[in-house]
Amino acid sequence: STGAVKMQPKAEELKFVTKNDGYVHIHPSSVNYQTRHFESPYLVYHEKIKTSRVFIRDCSMVSVYPLVLLGGGQVHMQLLRGDFVISLDDGWIRFVAASHQVAELVKELRSELDQLLQDKIRNPSMDLCMCPRGSRIIGMIVKLVTTQ
């Protein structure tokens, strides 16, 4: 048989985009440098350096739900051309939700988690696993993240 086979990009060709720096590359000393395919297009990183170009190190792939639930900034939802879009970081990161109900549930879960963490900060001795509200919220997040 003949035909073209899609090839994964070479490590040096793989690039990501940051809000402030544009394109960045995974540093050759990074454990993930030879990884040529990530299930999710989102990475979190610890260090960013600029030499011949901008590189990130100490990076890990992160999927959509952990990013929405644990990422910084406010979560917003809007209807765009018939799709329900969840956005973070003033709209720089956007996801299309499967339905309005899914978008609302994710937004509400994030709000509940934020409130739970504020309660924990105000009362450090509070046991989140023993608190009925806390254990339900944490259980939902664990289920969502592990089954996505």
Side-chain angles (χ1 to χ4, degrees), residues 87-103:
S87 64
L88 300 168
D89 199 15
D90 298 325
W92 193 75
I93 300 173
R94 299 192 292 180
F95 312 98
V96 175
S99 68
H100 180 257
Q101 183 180 17
V102 169

Side-chain angles (χ1 to χ4, degrees), residues 31-90:
V31 171
N32 283 326
Y33 180 69
Q34 292 299 323
T35 304
R36 294 170 22 168
H37 174 74
F38 294 93
E39 293 296 318
S40 171
Y42 303 102
L43 297 180
V44 293
Y45 61 90
H46 175 68
E47 184 177 31
K48 182 172 52 174
I49 58 172
K50 184 174 183 177
T51 55
S52 58
R53 52 188 171 178
V54 180
F55 290 99
I56 56 174
R57 285 200 288 216
D58 303 327
C59 60
S60 295
M61 184 202 73
V62 63
S63 54
V64 172
Y65 287 127
L67 187 60
V68 171
L69 295 172
L70 302 169
Q74 294 293 314
V75 175
H76 300 282
M77 187 188 65
Q78 59 187 6
L79 181 63
L80 290 174
R81 293 186 285 266
D83 291 324
F84 293 98
V85 177
I86 300 171
S87 64
L88 300 168
D89 199 15
D90 298 325

Side-chain angles (χ1 to χ4, degrees), residues 124-139:
S125 63
M126 181 173 82
D127 185 344
L128 296 179
C129 294
M130 297 305 290
C131 161
R133 180 173 160 263
S135 63
R136 279 195 314 271
I137 293 168
I138 292 169

